[in-house]
């Protein structure tokens, strides 16, 4: 453990020596760190990987104390998740406060927890009881944060799938499903009241996979294409993600709100899929995420919201081998569990290969030495 501590301190010192290196490494997106797998590196090693990448925002699907502890005293902002199975209990203010006291307070302020997502894609499912519990749970969690004096640093929201839209074309005619209006309307009012974002999981890949003969691949991969023109606004769209975001904004506006910001809590492209999953290749995944990175570096908005830079969390950090469903679900990662990039989009990160047994000191020192060589070369090439 001592060797790891030394390594970690050296990393932070070296990264702080060069402003230009930090600028080069700085990434303008967040990353989803899922853990439905049995072969992932330890959170302490992942913390090194993400900090050498200079990733400053991470989204979890739970409140794993091992992860939050591993990122203690880092500059990484965390969105943590409160699972759907807890919604019924979270309606009780005392239970909501107890959850925060157990899962949030012990990690503050050394770990920067800035948001709690209550449930995930609840309204896109078919469990009406969960739908009914969603807003009361969000309100209760927010109330507990207020009582504990944490509401100014930790916001409350939930993430939705695009299934909540009843119409998305053209983008300016976007609208929510009528059967969900009774849930979405008060949720929007909650967001406006507490100033928290409306989160959407947006995957142009799904649209292409379902209609590969009709949806141009270039349009979903941010490649040069003729795009489409919104017949109502005459705005031109050269990629589907922008159109999806603006459709959500239009749906929110149709419910009387222009005071709620839309952020993308998940987007990505699988590098592998089943035979019937068109387009799931490492080449397409690399194009999607690589072109998305370049788009985000421009810090521009969508055609309908040009002054509001899009805010995105990429899905996902690692391939997760235990995720159920089609093969694509297990192949959204930017990295394999051993720290090897699944495809090359220009990232240069380091996953330390450290062990902590009494007989491993020699190997640990060698790992530190190899890392220092790697980081020194990288910093020199970044100047």
């Amino acid at each position: 453990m001592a060797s790891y501590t030394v390594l970690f301190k050296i990393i932070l010192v070296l990264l702080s020596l060069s402003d230009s290196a930090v600028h080069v490494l700085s990434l303008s997106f967040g990353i989803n760190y899922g853990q439905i797998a049995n072969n992932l590196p330890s959170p302490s090693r992942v913390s090194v990987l993400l900090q050498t990448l200079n990733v400053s925002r991470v989204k979890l699907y739970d409140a794993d104390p091992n992860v939050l502890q591993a990122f203690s005293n880092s500059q990484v902002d965390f969105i943590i998740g409160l699972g759907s199975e807890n919604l019924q209990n979270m309606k009780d203010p005392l239970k909501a406060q107890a959850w925060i006291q157990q899962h949030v307070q012990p990690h503050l302020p050394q770990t920067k927890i800035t948001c709690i997502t209550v449930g995930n894609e609840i309204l896109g499912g078919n469990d009406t009881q969960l739908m009914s519990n969603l807003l009361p749970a969000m309100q209760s969690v927010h109330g507990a944060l207020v009582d504990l004096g944490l509401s100014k640093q930790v916001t409350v929201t939930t993430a939705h799938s695009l299934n909540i839209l009843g119409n998305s074309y053209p983008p300016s005619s976007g609208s929510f499903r009528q059967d969900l209006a009774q849930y979405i309307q008060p949720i929007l009012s909650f967001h406006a009241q507490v100033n928290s974002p409306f989160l959407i999981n947006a995957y142009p890949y799904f649209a292409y996979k379902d209609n590969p003969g009709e949806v141009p691949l270039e349009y979903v991969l941010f490649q040069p294409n003729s795009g489409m023109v919104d017949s109502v606004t005459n705005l031109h769209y050269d990629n589907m993600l922008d159109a999806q975001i603006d459709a959500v904004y239009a749906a929110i506006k149709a419910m009387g709100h222009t005071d709620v910001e839309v952020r993308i809590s998940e987007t990505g492209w699988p590098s592998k899929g089943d035979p019937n999953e068109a387009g799931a290749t490492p080449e397409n995944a690399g194009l999607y995420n690589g072109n998305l990175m370049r788009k985000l570096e421009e810090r521009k908005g969508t055609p309908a919201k040009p002054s509001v830079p899009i805010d995105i969390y990429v899905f996902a950090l690692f391939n997760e081998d235990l995720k159920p469903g089609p093969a694509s679900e297990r192949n959204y990662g930017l990295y394999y569990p051993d720290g090897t990039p699944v495809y090359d989009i220009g990232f240069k990160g380091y996953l330390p290969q450290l062990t902590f047994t009494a007989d491993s000191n020699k190997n640990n020192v060698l790992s530190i030495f190899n890392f220092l060589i790697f980081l020194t070369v990288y910093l020199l090439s970044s100047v």
Side-chain angles (χ1 to χ4, degrees):
M1 183 63 74
S3 297
Y4 174 76
T5 302
V6 171
L7 170 61
F8 187 74
K9 289 181 177 178
I10 291 173
I11 291 168
L12 297 183
V13 169
L14 286 176
L15 286 177
S16 68
L17 291 179
S18 172
D19 290 339
S20 61
V22 172
H23 174 73
V24 171
L25 278 166
S26 181
L27 300 177
S28 54
F29 64 92
I31 193 81
N32 282 277
Y33 177 10
Q35 299 183 81
I36 306 178
N38 61 7
N39 57 357
L40 297 182
S42 67
S44 59
R45 292 170 62 205
V46 173
S47 72
V48 174
L49 172 64
L50 291 183
Q51 290 184 81
T52 57
L53 286 170
N54 209 33
V55 170
S56 61
R57 297 184 297 151
V58 173
K59 178 169 164 284
L60 301 178
Y61 292 88
D62 53 20
D64 186 338
N66 296 316
V67 174
L68 296 175
Q69 177 63 34
F71 283 83
S72 177
N73 299 313
S74 72
Q75 296 302 307
V76 177
D77 287 352
F78 272 90
I79 295 177
I80 62 172
L82 197 161
S84 303
E85 68 277 5
N86 294 314
L87 294 193
Q88 178 68 38
N89 283 338
M90 290 304 104
K91 292 169 59 179
D92 182 337
L94 292 179
K95 291 181 179 179
Q97 181 167 310
W99 190 90
I100 292 169
Q101 288 173 323
Q102 179 181 352
H103 296 94
V104 179
Q105 276 192 311
H107 303 286
L108 297 175
Q110 60 270 24
T111 301
K112 297 173 63 177
I113 299 172
T114 58
C115 182
I116 300 171
T117 55
V118 179
N120 185 53
E121 299 190 345
I122 298 296
L123 299 186
N126 52 21
D127 189 325
T128 56
Q129 187 59 55
L130 281 179
M131 294 179 190
S132 298
N133 290 340
L134 179 57
L135 179 58
M138 293 169 67
Q139 292 170 324
S140 184
V141 171
H142 174 72
L145 289 169
V146 171
D147 292 342
L148 293 170
L150 300 174
S151 61
K152 294 188 183 302
Q153 65 187 95
V154 183
T155 60
V156 176
T157 185
T158 187
H160 307 280
S161 71
L162 280 176
N163 290 339
I164 66 174
L165 290 179
N167 182 60
S168 61
Y169 186 87
S172 61
S173 297
S175 61
F176 294 118
R177 286 165 36 191
Q178 285 299 313
D179 62 309
L180 297 179
Q182 60 180 311
Y183 306 110
I184 295 176
Q185 183 75 68
I187 286 176
L188 289 173
S189 297
F190 170 82
H191 285 306
Q193 176 187 353
V194 305
N195 193 31
S196 65
F198 190 88
L199 301 186
I200 283 287
N201 299 336
Y203 289 90
Y205 165 72
F206 293 155
Y208 178 78
K209 180 193 70 171
D210 293 341
N211 294 286
E214 299 179 15
V215 177
L217 186 59
E218 295 79 8
Y219 183 59
V220 293
L221 292 181
F222 308 99
Q223 292 181 300
N225 67 96
S226 59
M228 58 84 67
V229 175
D230 188 310
S231 58
V232 177
T233 62
N234 287 324
L235 292 174
H236 179 262
Y237 289 84
D238 61 10
N239 70 86
M240 181 175 286
L241 184 63
D242 278 350
Q244 290 176 333
I245 295 171
D246 280 350
V248 175
Y249 269 120
I252 291 173
K253 185 176 181 180
M255 285 198 160
H257 284 277
T258 57
D259 50 358
V260 177
E261 182 182 354
V262 174
R263 298 180 187 173
I264 303 303
S265 43
E266 289 182 18
T267 193
W269 195 285
S271 60
K272 184 179 180 181
D274 291 322
N276 64 341
E277 294 188 289
T281 68
E283 293 76 18
N284 288 340
L287 284 169
Y288 182 84
N289 283 316
N291 288 334
L292 175 62
M293 298 306 104
R294 284 183 279 277
K295 175 179 174 63
L296 293 175
E297 286 172 1
E298 298 174 354
R299 301 190 184 279
K300 295 180 180 178
T302 63
K305 293 277 188 176
S307 63
V308 182
I310 57 177
D311 189 296
I312 283 177
Y313 283 77
V314 172
F315 187 86
L317 180 56
F318 294 112
N319 283 344
E320 298 173 70
D321 66 337
L322 297 183
K323 291 198 73 173
S328 61
E329 287 294 314
R330 295 175 288 282
N331 289 279
Y332 274 91
L334 300 178
Y335 286 90
Y336 293 110
D338 66 359
T340 304
V342 177
Y343 39 82
D344 182 12
I345 53 175
F347 290 169
K348 295 179 181 179
Y350 178 81
L351 181 70
Q353 303 297 319
L354 295 181
T355 55
F356 305 117
T357 64
D359 296 328
S360 66
N361 287 338
K362 182 178 180 180
N363 290 334
N364 288 352
V365 171
L366 182 61
S367 293
I368 293 173
F369 180 73
N370 289 336
F371 172 75
L372 291 176
I373 293 175
F374 162 84
L375 192 56
T376 301
V377 171
Y378 185 87
L379 291 176
L380 289 174
S381 68
S382 300
V383 174

